[in-house]
Amino acid sequence: MDHPYYNVVIAGVGPAGLACAHTLQARAPHLRVLLLEAGRAFCRRPCPVDRGLRCTGCGGVCNVISGFGGSMHYGDGAKLSLLPSGRRLITHFGEAAAQRLCADAYAWLTSALPQPPVLAGEYLSGRAVSAFDAYGLSIREYPVAVLGERDLGRVIEACHDGLSTECWYLSELIEAQPRDGGGMVVKVATHDGVKEAHAGHVVLATGRRGVTATASLLRQLGVPMTPPDLSVGVRFEMDARLLAAIGTEHPDLKISQRDTAVANKVKTFCFCGGPNGGRLKFTHYHNAFGPAVITLDGHETTDRVPAERPLAANFGLLCQVQGRGNAEGAQASFLGTYRDLAQGRPFAQTLGDFLDRTPEAVPWPDLQQRLPYQPSVLDLTTGPVHELFTPEEHASLTAGLDRVLGSILWHAGSAVSTRDLADQVLVVAPELEFVWEQPELDAGCRVPGLPVYVIGDAAGIAQGIVQGAMMGMAAAQAIAAGQTAPTIGAGR
Ligand SMILES: Cc1cc2nc3c(=O)[nH]c(=O)nc-3n(C[C@H](O)[C@H](O)[C@H](O)COP(=O)(O)OP(=O)(O)OC[C@H]3O[C@@H](n4cnc5c(N)ncnc54)[C@H](O)[C@@H]3O)c2cc1C
């Protein structure tokens, strides 16, 4: 039986896969390209948690991390963080090529907006610098644009409308093998059964949902892989007014701590604290890590309207795992504890209970009513979140928080201390990040010796929407040019 032939098959339609497809369409319109997307179309991705309802897993396909637009979720806001955020891409591409790709990716992502977004995050006030300096911390400065819910919707719609490439939804790439005579044979699981196609090039842009499946596919192809540098942690949710001042100056506040005050490296992650705060998101991994687990993320908002209580804001705090064996063992150890403590579903305790390692937790209905703000998720239970962590990890997280929140409160001119907020801040877990193995890639994001490219989160180099789009463009440029290196200095 003859199988269809495509010059390029792209698996995953998040920002990386989309940027790759758009760039191929612009640069090599004669190529036959197929997009495969394991999730649903962008406008068919409701998340019950967004409406305060229980996470149901959405029929085996988490609508937050799967679908046209990937983690760019219709109805959410997002931050576009530019280089040097994702600075490992500068090492990967070289300074000039990385800057060019970043400018092109940002221009493409924002082209549908009625006006260019305002960039914050640079030229911070003396007050911000000295507030953090007083705690021995420094803020990483880089330009960040906040796209509110309406603007991100426009971006996602434009990505969809502007693309004429063939796209199969609910279609998951499950196998890719070298084909005799060149190219690859791919197998795709669809609702109609498994289909086979031949491809000149295969681009893996499978993001968070594909985290373990893509690594095992690459291992089967013999691609050298570097294990991930796993980080685990929590998200702190609080009254949005506490984070608004620093969130306005730097919407993607990134603070790393690696000194004698913390045993393990600690860093803030995905800061969601502008004037309108942000919401918690659940990311359901289904069977990616064995028995199902749900982890956390967050997103910034601009359009919410407070009801009876003030809005919530949040930020993540992560620490590198230590003392749990190799990367595989560390992941199994952390997730095993999570399943034992909370059946793999997000849970919470008060900041005071987290700091003091209190075994008993206030029941969620009481706790949520006592909070001085409206919690963003109503589907929580309470439990001993602190028990997820080794004593060293817990000590690093609490010492790290003390300094970060201390600096934020000082900068905001608040007279309260971290301790004063013991009953007013919610500690929600777990955050699990930097889970991607890193395949060996050249500057065109191609693996050694095969017409296979790995881009976006799946490449394990840098996370982020702009960063994913940069890699998508680089791979497309390499494919279009018939070479493995991107065309340095050339636009899309
Ligand atoms: C809730 C949340 C909020 C975030 N907020 C921000 C933010 O504000 N700013 C920012 O820069 N970053 C943010 N991120 C991170 C950002 O979304 C990712 O870094 C980015 O989406 C990565 O793009 P990607 O294309 O590599 O992967 P993804 O966007 O994850 O897309 C991958 C796609 O591949 C599909 N897929 C997976 N496996 C297969 C397969 N085998 N076959 C076919 N399709 C497959 C998935 O269904 C998915 O649609 C956020 C992440 C989350 C989860």
Side-chain angles (χ1 to χ4, degrees):
M1 181 183 155
D2 278 348
H3 297 294
Y5 178 81
Y6 296 88
N7 298 98
V8 186
V9 170
I10 302 170
V13 192
L18 279 167
C20 186
H22 274 275
T23 307
L24 285 171
Q25 184 172 287
R27 290 198 160 213
H30 57 284
L31 295 184
R32 191 169 178 219
V33 179
L34 172 65
L35 278 167
L36 297 174
E37 174 46 59
R40 303 176 176 94
F42 76 86
C43 46
R44 301 180 59 197
R45 295 168 60 202
C47 172
V49 178
D50 290 351
R51 288 176 287 131
L53 304 175
R54 226 177 142 64
C55 173
T56 56
C58 292
V61 180
C62 172
N63 282 335
V64 174
I65 57 170
S66 315
F68 196 108
S71 300
M72 292 197 315
H73 193 235
Y74 202 60
D76 291 350
K79 295 170 297 251
L80 300 181
S81 301
L82 308 186
L83 290 179
S85 175
R87 61 191 157 188
R88 288 168 68 198
L89 288 176
I90 296 178
T91 315
H92 184 75
F93 291 122
E95 178 78 40
Q99 294 296 350
R100 186 71 246 165
L101 287 165
C102 184
D104 287 346
Y106 183 69
W108 168 66
L109 283 161
T110 55
S111 60
L113 299 177
Q115 54 235 354
V118 174
L119 289 165
E122 288 183 297
Y123 317 111
L124 301 178
S125 67
R127 184 181 177 88
V129 173
S130 50
F132 284 78
D133 189 48
Y135 284 83
L137 305 178
S138 61
I139 303 175
R140 278 179 57 203
E141 295 192 34
Y142 49 83
V144 187
V146 177
L147 303 189
E149 292 86 317
R150 258 168 299 171
D151 277 348
L152 186 62
R154 283 190 183 110
V155 169
I156 295 171
E157 283 164 14
C159 289
H160 184 252
D161 294 343
L163 200 59
S164 55
T165 311
E166 183 176 342
C167 180
W168 300 356
Y169 294 108
L170 292 171
S171 299
E172 181 168 4
L173 179 92
I174 50 171
E175 207 180 297
Q177 290 293 335
R179 180 175 165 232
D180 289 343
M184 303 290 291
V185 182
V186 296
K187 288 195 178 157
V188 185
T190 73
H191 60 280
D192 262 353
V194 175
K195 294 186 178 166
E196 204 169 299
H198 294 164
H201 305 263
V202 172
V203 181
L204 301 172
T206 48
R208 195 167 283 267
R209 178 196 156 110
V211 57
T212 50
T214 297
S216 72
L217 187 150
L218 290 167
R219 267 197 301 274
Q220 278 164 25
L221 291 172
V223 177
M225 309 280 281
T226 306
D229 213 352
L230 192 72
S231 284
V232 294
V234 294
R235 208 155 260 278
F236 298 100
E237 187 175 75
M238 62 197 78
D239 186 327
R241 291 171 298 185
L242 293 168
L243 302 183
I246 194 66
T248 304
E249 283 212 42
H250 199 319
D252 193 24
L253 187 75
K254 276 197 187 124
I255 307 285
S256 292
Q257 303 180 47
R258 185 178 236 157
D259 56 30
T260 48
V262 289
N264 306 0
K265 184 180 174 191
V266 171
K267 56 181 167 188
T268 58
F269 188 78
C270 185
F271 192 86
C272 303
N276 197 254
R279 297 201 350 247
L280 297 178
K281 298 288 290 184
F282 283 10
T283 48
H284 199 315
Y285 280 99
H286 290 286
N287 60 1
F289 296 115
V293 285
I294 306 172
T295 66
L296 294 177
D297 220 299
H299 78 91
E300 180 120 356
T301 61
T302 61
D303 300 353
R304 288 186 304 165
V305 180
E308 284 132 36
R309 287 184 278 177
L311 293 171
N314 68 78
F315 66 89
L317 194 68
L318 301 172
C319 73
Q320 270 175 352
V321 292
Q322 265 181 29
R324 292 181 186 261
N326 63 13
E328 204 179 329
Q331 192 173 285
S333 143
F334 185 76
L335 291 179
T337 311
Y338 177 38
R339 288 188 189 103
D340 290 344
L341 287 174
Q343 296 80 50
R345 300 187 68 88
F347 64 139
Q349 68 184 158
T350 63
L351 175 61
D353 287 349
F354 181 75
L355 295 175
D356 298 339
R357 299 181 74 96
T358 309
E360 296 84 29
V362 183
W364 174 246
D366 297 344
L367 176 55
Q368 79 97 0
Q369 274 183 2
R370 275 193 228 160
L371 293 169
Y373 65 91
Q374 175 67 40
S376 69
V377 171
L378 301 177
D379 172 40
L380 283 172
T381 51
T382 52
V385 170
H386 58 272
E387 286 183 23
L388 276 174
F389 305 99
T390 63
E392 296 75 25
E393 289 163 356
H394 182 261
S396 295
L397 288 169
T398 51
L401 174 73
D402 207 39
R403 299 202 292 180
V404 170
L405 199 51
S407 313
I408 290 173
L409 295 170
W410 180 349
H411 169 259
S414 169
V416 298
S417 69
T418 301
R419 244 315 148 180
D420 294 333
L421 297 173
D423 294 327
Q424 300 177 30
V425 172
L426 206 54
V427 184
V428 196
E431 273 272 359
L432 177 69
E433 293 297 339
F434 307 103
V435 282
W436 289 271
E437 291 183 50
Q438 197 180 328
E440 188 178 319
L441 299 176
D442 70 11
C445 299
R446 182 175 175 167
V447 307
L450 286 172
V452 174
Y453 303 73
V454 191
I455 58 175
D457 282 1
I461 302 174
Q463 288 182 56
I465 294 168
V466 173
Q467 292 66 23
M470 288 169 64
M471 286 183 260
M473 288 180 169
Q477 288 176 13
I479 292 168
Q483 58 186 33
T484 56
T487 314
I488 294 174
R492 279 188 303 127

